[in-house]
Amino acid sequence: MTKPLRTRSFMTTVEHSMFLLRDMESYEAEPPEGIGIAFLPVARGAVYVTSTIQDHEAESVVEVWPGVPQVRQEGELLGQVAMFSASGRVSVHALMGGPEGQSVELAGPGLYGVRVYRFGGGPAAQARRAAVVEQIGDGEDVEMPTDLEAYVIEMWR
């Protein structure tokens, strides 16, 4: 169990400091009440992940493991939860939808462990985003950086 069976990278739109890992067929579309930055609340078929930064783009890599992977030494562990996948396929989505047609195959329908790590974020990334937003406000044609945060999502049966 030294390597994941499959990995898939998603460019994730983080909206309102949140995105979700969701089953491709059946999931609860509303985040649970009382969600906070350090929580990974589980809804039916979805795990809602919170960011330290408002609306931006971030890379999320989903790794499918043959068993429980060792806890990583790098990154900030946001939590570990269980999620039921009815379809055996999951995707990383913004709250308002997309990316359509992009998913990663699990080991079939069933209950999965999910562990989420965040890389980056925090005050330095918030300051970089604020500086870009300030430039955009002045009419500059500036793109939002996509390296403010990144995530690794480990899944296993």
Side-chain angles (χ1 to χ4, degrees), residues 20-157:
L20 66 149
L21 170 74
R22 74 163 183 89
D23 184 70
M24 290 301 290
E25 287 179 9
S26 176
Y27 72 101
E28 188 174 279
E30 291 296 318
E33 291 291 322
I35 191 166
I37 285 179
F39 298 106
L40 286 178
V42 180
R44 288 186 301 274
V47 176
Y48 288 83
V49 181
T50 55
S51 167
T52 62
I53 305 169
Q54 282 285 348
D55 309 325
H56 67 103
E57 298 284 318
E59 181 181 24
S60 296
V61 176
V62 177
E63 299 178 344
V64 181
W65 289 80
V68 181
Q70 290 186 343
V71 175
R72 293 172 183 262
Q73 297 304 308
E74 69 280 351
E76 176 187 358
L77 175 61
L78 297 183
Q80 180 175 312
V81 294
M83 178 184 133
F84 183 78
S85 173
S87 68
R89 293 178 301 123
V90 295
S91 184
V92 177
H93 277 247
L95 293 179
M96 303 310 261
E100 293 304 319
Q102 295 182 23
S103 65
V104 64
E105 293 288 327
L106 303 174
L111 188 62
Y112 288 84
V114 179
R115 197 180 288 149
V116 179
Y117 297 88
R118 179 173 45 226
F119 297 83
Q126 291 166 354
R128 280 184 56 216
R129 181 189 182 279
V132 170
V133 169
E134 190 172 306
Q135 287 179 339
I136 292 170
D138 290 336
E140 298 289 328
D141 186 19
V142 179
E143 289 189 25
M144 189 65 68
T146 58
D147 64 345
L148 298 174
E149 288 180 321
Y151 295 84
V152 171
I153 301 169
E154 298 173 334
M155 299 186 73
W156 64 93
R157 189 170 257 202

